[in-house]
């Protein structure tokens, strides 16, 4: 039994080579879409993932997990590193920085308003 998705003919269940080729094709489609101003990337990616989702509904649970494991793993493997937004910068703000800012805000509020209201 075969099924077509984005121009590829898949066996059911798809072979690992077919899944990897689909991931590469989706990456190429995204690279091309980036340079077209009339394409909204969010909608483009959602539509692409929706087609994959609809395709995987025809597989049983284990086949679906294997498909997504291969597909997502290959997309991560071929992803470009973003030097402007490194992974370590995504950790968030440290607790010390938050406490320092809150302390500064408290001091400003104290000297600007509370001292005048209390009468010190």
């Amino acid at each position: 039994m075969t099924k077509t998705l984005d121009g590829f003919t898949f066996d059911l269940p798809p072979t690992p080579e077919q899944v990897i080729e689909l991931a590469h094709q989706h990456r190429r489609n995204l690279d091309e879409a980036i340079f077209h101003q009339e394409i909204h990337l969010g909608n483009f990616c959602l539509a692409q993932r929706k087609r994959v989702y609809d395709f995987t509904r025809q597989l049983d649970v284990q086949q679906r997990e294997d498909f997504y494991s291969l597909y997502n793993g290959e997309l991560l493997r071929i992803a470009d590193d973003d030097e402007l937004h490194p992974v370590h910068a995504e950790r968030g703000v440290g607790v010390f920085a938050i406490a320092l800012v809150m302390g500064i805000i408290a001091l400003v509020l104290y000297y600007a308003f509370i001292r005048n209201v209390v009468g010190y």
Side-chain angles (χ1 to χ4, degrees), residues 96-108:
F96 176 74
I98 293 173
L100 182 65
V101 169
M102 294 298 285
I104 292 171
I105 291 171
L107 287 173
V108 168

Side-chain angles (χ1 to χ4, degrees), residues 37-93:
Q37 291 184 359
E38 67 275 0
I39 296 176
H40 184 273
L41 289 179
N43 292 338
F44 178 82
C45 291
L46 285 174
Q48 190 167 273
R49 290 298 279 202
K50 175 70 169 120
R51 289 190 304 273
V52 170
Y53 173 83
D54 291 341
F55 172 76
T56 59
R57 296 302 104 194
Q58 303 169 28
L59 305 173
D60 65 35
V61 175
Q62 185 59 46
Q63 292 169 340
R64 192 176 308 141
E65 288 175 6
D66 294 342
F67 179 92
Y68 277 118
S69 176
L70 277 169
Y71 180 78
N72 292 335
E74 187 64 18
L75 286 176
L76 284 173
R77 190 185 71 72
I78 62 176
D80 295 334
D81 288 333
D82 187 0
E83 291 138 13
L84 296 177
H85 303 93
V87 174
H88 65 81
E90 298 294 327
R91 289 190 309 227
V93 179

Side-chain angles (χ1 to χ4, degrees), residues 10-28:
F10 287 95
D11 300 326
L12 286 180
T15 64
E17 293 81 21
Q18 292 172 330
V19 175
I20 289 171
E21 184 57 34
L22 178 67
H24 282 270
Q25 181 60 41
H26 282 174
R27 174 55 196 250
R28 285 189 293 271

Side-chain angles (χ1 to χ4, degrees), residues 102-119:
M102 294 298 285
I104 292 171
I105 291 171
L107 287 173
V108 168
L109 288 175
Y110 175 75
Y111 283 108
F113 299 108
I114 296 174
R115 274 185 57 191
N116 293 334
V117 172
V118 175

